[in-house]
Amino acid sequence: MTPEGKSLNFVDENSTSIDAHAVVDHSLMILPPSQTISESLTALAHSTSKELERIWDEIGLNPDERADELTDLLSTFRKACDDKVTSEREVAENYRQMIVDYKAEIRKTCAALKLPVDENLLKDESGQTLQDEVYTLELALEDLRRAALTSKGELVHYRDQLVEDHEALGISMDEEWNDIESDLTQPRVKMFQDKVKEMETIVSTRTSAVIQLIRDSQELIDVLRIDPKENLLDRKIMRSLIKHENDGSIKIVSKFETDDCTGISAGTLQALTDRVRELHSEKRRRKSKLTEMGTIIGELWEKLHVPKEEQNAFAQSIDGLGLDTLEKGEKEIARLYALKEVMMGKLVADAREKIEHLWDQTNATDEQRAAFHGMHVHDERLLNDELLSQHEEYIHSLEKKLEQMRPLLEVIEKRESIIQERMQYEEFLKDPTRLQQRGSALTRQLMKEEKMSRRIKKDLPKYTDHLNKKLRDWATAHGEAFLYKGQEYLALMKEQEDEWQEYKENQAQLKRQKKQQEKSLTSGGFLKKNMASVPLQDTTNNLGDTKTETNKFRPLSRFRALSRGRDRKDNTNETRAESRPRAMIRSRSKSKGPFVRDNSSRGRGGMFSRGRAQPVERS
């Protein structure tokens, strides 16, 4: 095919093909190129002239007319020849342009495919006819075009996907990814493929972020009872998500912004972020407002003694954070304030009762109580909201003071409890009969005394030191002493300590006197002589006519146990097991008496063992 689309036949050494378009009279043969064209033209002119002479004779044209016709014929022939030459020159020029274009395409395609170029194909003078050169170049381009077409098709696909993702994200794409001509190699295709995967990840991340923002916005819009029709973005938000039928997952309707979908562009992301922030701010504002109103309503309910039925009915009518909820709260506050004005006298009386109770708890002095002048207002005309506010503020100050006092009061209560235990513990120590209990009763008694002793020796000094420091700090910070049950507790602690020291000295003096009496009695031999006849269970023995409690002390109990043991020396096998108190007393005794415990009885007759003690072997 020629550039003009004409069918041409060329005659080579073995061909005699004829160009049908170059023949006017099909009876004439176009001579081969080796023969002169003049012979063909002469033969054509001779036959044409004969035919024209015959026709003109028949018509009857004169010589002038015949000369004019011949002139026209020659002019037409000359023009036809000129047109033909021009046409063939254009064909040749087209072939030359095709060769230039083909060579350029070969260079470009080879460069794109990173292939070496056959320089023989690109020579300016190839020595071939134009048609042969075109054919040779077309053969060379066929394989190059096939390889380029495959790579370019992939690049076009990836380029289109990148364009779509960038448009969805609302960002511009680098010109690098619009170039699908200069490099058609597989590494370049791989670069496009990797870029597409990267963009898919970005799109997926953006989509997830947008979906989450949309869901948050939808939830806030529902909670705040906002009508989405009032805001274009809210309307899109409420229509942008759909639930997938197969897996139930939430999907966005479209990556691109439409009338019913937000899309996932950068502008959409910012708009949704701002909207969520606005909705959260509005939610916080409404919650704060409702909390404030709820606090006011709760306090008024409590002050006005509103029935529980009314409170529950109002609470059940509240739903969500809509503007209607705020309106209901405002109406309830207005109603309660009106009721408060009616009940002002009773409210002031209740406040004064609470103040009296707080005065007692904070150990307020008469001067401190008299300092609050609001308690002395009794004129009903002056019982107004201002006076009630004074009472409430004073109550708040007393409650704050009590809250500050409470940690100290707790320590004081603990210390006072130990102070009482200390005297109880002293009474226990004076009573030796407590050790005559049996079994678990004795164990409990001893454990109780041990705990009391530990608290007295360890906790009491710790609490006293702590209070000495904290109570001085209180006096410095508040400008007044800390009172407990109307007394300054620092002074009370000193008074308690002085009394305790005096008590201990008195007890020590009594103990010394008793020891002196015991020595005077034992020095005359009277106690030793009559010891065996004194019953163990008798606790009212009188020595002579003088009534004494000497027999209540542990030394007498040991002597009696010793005496009874001697009386029963010969009846070892029939003797009952010793009681636990006696076993304990014997184990505590430091004297080396005639009683020696058998090693086989260990672990069974001890102070804290269960069951009866084993008999003691006597020597």
Side-chain angles (χ1 to χ4, degrees):
M1 296 294 290
T2 66
E4 295 179 347
K6 295 180 180 180
S7 178
L8 297 177
N9 292 322
F10 296 90
V11 181
D12 56 14
E13 295 178 353
N14 299 319
S15 176
T16 58
S17 299
I18 300 174
D19 184 356
H21 295 281
V23 179
V24 177
D25 187 354
H26 294 282
S27 62
L28 298 176
M29 298 287 293
I30 296 181
L31 297 175
S34 60
Q35 298 181 12
T36 61
I37 193 172
S38 61
E39 294 179 0
S40 299
L41 293 175
T42 299
L44 178 61
H46 179 70
S47 61
T48 301
S49 65
K50 277 187 174 185
E51 185 65 21
L52 288 174
E53 285 293 339
R54 185 185 64 78
I55 295 172
W56 286 341
D57 288 342
E58 184 179 356
I59 294 172
L61 294 179
N62 59 38
D64 293 335
E65 291 175 338
R66 293 183 182 191
D68 292 338
E69 290 295 333
L70 285 174
T71 301
D72 292 339
L73 176 60
L74 290 173
S75 298
T76 302
F77 180 72
R78 185 178 293 108
K79 185 177 183 303
C81 291
D82 292 340
D83 291 342
K84 182 63 178 176
V85 170
T86 301
S87 175
E88 291 303 315
R89 284 176 178 169
E90 290 177 356
V91 171
E93 188 61 32
N94 286 339
Y95 274 116
R96 293 188 187 95
Q97 187 60 45
M98 287 175 64
I99 291 171
V100 172
D101 293 342
Y102 284 168
K103 288 181 179 180
E105 185 177 351
I106 288 173
R107 291 190 185 94
K108 183 178 179 181
T109 305
C110 287
L113 294 173
K114 300 296 187 286
L115 297 175
V117 181
D118 186 356
E119 295 298 334
N120 292 327
L121 294 175
L122 304 180
K123 289 181 179 179
D124 293 335
E125 298 294 337
S126 63
Q128 295 178 311
T129 63
L130 296 178
Q131 280 189 329
D132 290 342
E133 190 171 1
V134 168
Y135 178 71
T136 302
L137 293 175
E138 285 180 344
L139 289 177
L141 277 171
E142 185 176 351
D143 292 336
L144 292 174
R145 285 173 175 171
R146 187 182 300 110
L149 184 61
T150 301
S151 297
K152 190 173 182 178
E154 292 182 278
L155 292 177
V156 169
H157 171 71
Y158 292 141
R159 190 270 314 273
D160 293 343
Q161 191 169 349
L162 289 175
V163 170
E164 179 180 331
D165 289 343
H166 279 79
E167 289 179 354
L169 293 172
I171 57 178
S172 59
M173 186 173 71
D174 295 340
E175 285 300 321
E176 174 189 2
W177 306 109
N178 280 319
D179 181 10
I180 55 173
E181 300 286 347
S182 63
D183 190 350
L184 302 175
T185 59
Q186 284 304 309
R188 178 67 171 172
V189 174
K190 183 67 167 54
M191 287 177 60
F192 268 77
Q193 189 177 14
D194 293 342
K195 183 64 176 177
V196 167
K197 290 181 180 178
E198 178 186 341
M199 292 304 299
E200 286 176 348
T201 302
I202 295 174
V203 169
S204 177
T205 303
R206 174 71 62 81
T207 302
S208 299
V210 169
I211 289 175
Q212 187 60 49
L213 287 171
I214 292 174
R215 296 184 69 175
D216 291 345
S217 299
Q218 289 178 347
E219 180 181 353
L220 290 168
I221 289 171
D222 290 337
V223 169
L224 297 174
R225 300 289 193 272
I226 295 175
D227 186 2
K229 296 179 181 178
E230 298 178 356
N231 185 292
L232 177 61
L233 180 58
D234 289 348
R235 188 182 68 202
K236 291 182 179 181
I237 287 172
M238 301 306 291
R239 299 179 180 180
S240 292
L241 300 181
I242 57 173
K243 190 174 184 179
H244 201 278
E245 296 180 356
N246 296 332
D247 56 6
S249 59
I250 303 299
K251 306 289 185 182
I252 192 166
V253 173
S254 173
K255 295 189 297 184
F256 299 97
E257 185 175 359
T258 64
D259 292 339
D260 295 326
C261 182
T262 61
I264 63 170
S265 67
T268 294
L269 182 66
Q270 185 62 47
L272 289 173
T273 302
D274 293 342
R275 186 55 177 159
V276 169
R277 187 183 299 111
E278 292 173 3
L279 294 172
H280 272 301
S281 177
E282 179 63 16
K283 181 181 178 181
R284 287 192 296 271
R285 186 191 71 82
R286 294 188 186 185
K287 286 184 71 174
S288 176
K289 183 66 175 177
L290 286 175
T291 302
E292 180 183 347
M293 289 193 298
T295 302
I296 296 173
I297 291 172
E299 291 176 354
L300 290 173
W301 278 348
E302 183 178 357
K303 289 178 182 178
L304 303 176
H305 304 290
V306 175
K308 287 293 183 181
E309 294 77 10
E310 292 186 20
Q311 297 181 23
N312 294 335
F314 176 78
Q316 291 174 0
S317 68
I318 300 300
D319 183 22
L321 298 174
L323 294 176
D324 58 330
T325 301
L326 296 176
E327 184 178 353
K328 290 178 181 178
E330 291 170 352
K331 289 182 179 179
E332 178 67 6
I333 290 175
R335 184 185 75 85
L336 292 173
Y337 274 131
L339 183 61
K340 178 181 175 182
E341 291 295 329
V342 176
M343 300 177 60
M344 185 61 66
K346 184 178 184 305
L347 294 176
V348 171
D350 291 343
R352 289 175 175 176
E353 182 179 351
K354 190 170 184 179
I355 289 173
E356 293 281 355
H357 181 64
L358 287 171
W359 276 342
D360 294 338
Q361 288 183 299
T362 56
N363 300 294
T365 62
D366 294 338
E367 293 78 7
Q368 290 173 335
R369 301 184 184 209
F372 180 60
H373 303 293
M375 294 288 284
H376 309 298
V377 177
H378 301 289
D379 189 348
E380 291 186 0
R381 293 173 297 178
L382 300 177
L383 300 180
N384 50 32
D385 193 60
E386 181 180 355
L387 181 64
L388 180 61
S389 297
Q390 292 178 7
H391 283 68
E392 290 173 346
E393 290 175 2
Y394 188 62
I395 289 173
H396 178 70
S397 65
L398 290 176
E399 288 175 340
K400 185 177 179 181
K401 181 179 180 180
L402 179 61
E403 197 64 28
Q404 294 173 343
M405 294 176 65
R406 187 164 282 120
L408 294 174
L409 290 173
E410 291 176 356
V411 178
I412 289 173
E413 294 294 338
K414 292 178 181 178
R415 184 180 180 278
E416 289 296 313
S417 175
I418 298 176
I419 291 291
Q420 295 178 2
E421 281 188 355
R422 185 169 62 178
M423 293 306 301
Q424 185 181 4
Y425 181 72
E426 288 294 317
E427 294 299 323
F428 282 156
L429 295 181
K430 291 178 182 180
D431 182 16
T433 61
R434 76 191 192 284
L435 301 177
Q436 297 178 5
Q437 303 179 77
R438 293 177 179 271
S440 60
L442 177 59
T443 302
R444 287 195 298 271
Q445 177 66 28
L446 293 175
M447 291 179 66
K448 179 179 179 181
E449 291 180 14
E450 182 181 357
K451 291 179 180 178
M452 293 172 68
S453 175
R454 184 168 60 247
R455 285 194 291 269
I456 292 168
K457 294 178 181 179
K458 181 179 178 181
D459 294 345
L460 181 58
K462 179 178 68 175
Y463 293 152
T464 301
D465 293 342
H466 176 77
L467 288 171
N468 274 323
K469 179 180 184 304
K470 292 297 181 181
L471 295 180
R472 286 186 174 87
D473 292 344
W474 173 278
T476 302
H478 295 81
E480 60 182 16
F482 190 93
L483 301 181
Y484 177 72
K485 295 183 179 180
Q487 291 181 276
E488 182 182 344
Y489 197 71
L490 271 174
L492 180 60
M493 286 196 301
K494 187 177 185 308
E495 181 181 342
Q496 290 172 337
E497 189 62 26
D498 293 341
E499 290 177 354
W500 175 250
Q501 293 300 328
E502 182 180 356
Y503 169 79
K504 294 297 287 183
E505 291 175 0
N506 291 337
Q507 292 297 310
Q509 184 177 358
L510 288 174
K511 192 175 292 185
R512 287 192 296 270
Q513 292 175 357
K514 289 178 181 178
K515 286 183 178 180
Q516 287 294 109
Q517 293 175 2
E518 289 177 2
K519 287 181 180 179
S520 62
L521 291 174
T522 56
S523 62
F526 177 79
L527 181 61
K528 183 176 181 181
K529 178 179 179 182
N530 295 282
M531 185 177 297
S533 62
V534 179
L536 179 63
Q537 69 276 12
D538 186 6
T539 60
T540 59
N541 294 304
N542 293 327
L543 300 178
D545 296 333
T546 304
K547 190 174 183 180
T548 178
E549 294 181 1
T550 307
N551 59 313
K552 292 185 180 180
F553 290 90
R554 292 170 65 182
L556 291 181
S557 298
R558 291 176 186 150
F559 293 149
R560 288 170 183 165
L562 178 63
S563 175
R564 182 166 295 183
R566 289 175 177 172
D567 292 340
R568 293 183 295 191
K569 180 177 181 181
D570 298 330
N571 299 322
T572 303
N573 295 331
E574 297 178 4
T575 303
R576 65 179 180 83
E578 287 182 315
S579 65
R580 286 174 184 162
R582 294 169 186 167
M584 181 198 70
I585 294 171
R586 186 164 294 140
S587 65
R588 288 184 177 181
S589 176
K590 296 183 180 179
S591 62
K592 296 182 180 180
F595 302 100
V596 179
R597 295 185 62 181
D598 189 0
N599 292 335
S600 64
S601 65
R602 282 183 185 174
R604 299 187 62 186
M607 185 187 308
F608 299 105
S609 66
R610 297 181 180 273
R612 297 180 63 83
Q614 293 294 319
V616 178
E617 182 180 352
R618 297 173 174 81
S619 57

